């Protein structure tokens, strides 16, 4: 059985499995490229999204680009 814990995604509580990466969480919660991610108020380069495993009570902010012309 996999343990689950709570994180915040754009100020909304969410449950994730232990060993969930930042990249997996972004997909799980519907982030659509292009976007940037902040983890606990720190910008995380996209090259690191697969390398960071989330911890209980982490705070993720998904910032999407606004397209227009």
């Amino acid at each position: 059985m996999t343990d689950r814990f709570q994180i915040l995604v754009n100020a909304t509580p969410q449950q994730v499995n232990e060993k969930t990466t930042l990249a997996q969480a972004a997909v799980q919660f519907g982030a659509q490229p292009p976007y940037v991610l902040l983890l606990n108020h720190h910008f995380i380069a996209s090259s690191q999204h697969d390398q960071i495993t989330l911890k209980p009570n982490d705070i993720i902010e998904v910032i999407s680009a606004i397209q227009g012309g």
Side-chain angles (χ1 to χ4, degrees), residues 21-67:
T21 66
L22 186 57
Q24 291 168 329
V27 170
Q28 182 177 342
F29 300 111
Q32 297 292 319
Y35 59 83
V36 297
L37 298 177
L38 290 105
L39 178 61
N40 300 322
H41 310 290
H42 297 282
F43 168 77
I44 305 296
S46 60
S47 62
Q48 296 179 312
H49 292 181
D50 282 328
Q51 301 169 13
I52 296 174
T53 302
L54 299 176
K55 298 181 290 292
N57 302 311
D58 274 344
I59 300 169
I60 299 172
E61 292 292 328
V62 181
I63 301 173
S64 297
I66 297 174
Q67 298 183 13

Side-chain angles (χ1 to χ4, degrees), residues 10-35:
N10 290 349
T12 302
Q14 304 287 343
Q15 294 287 315
V16 295
N17 295 325
E18 68 178 18
K19 300 184 183 177
T20 297
T21 66
L22 186 57
Q24 291 168 329
V27 170
Q28 182 177 342
F29 300 111
Q32 297 292 319
Y35 59 83

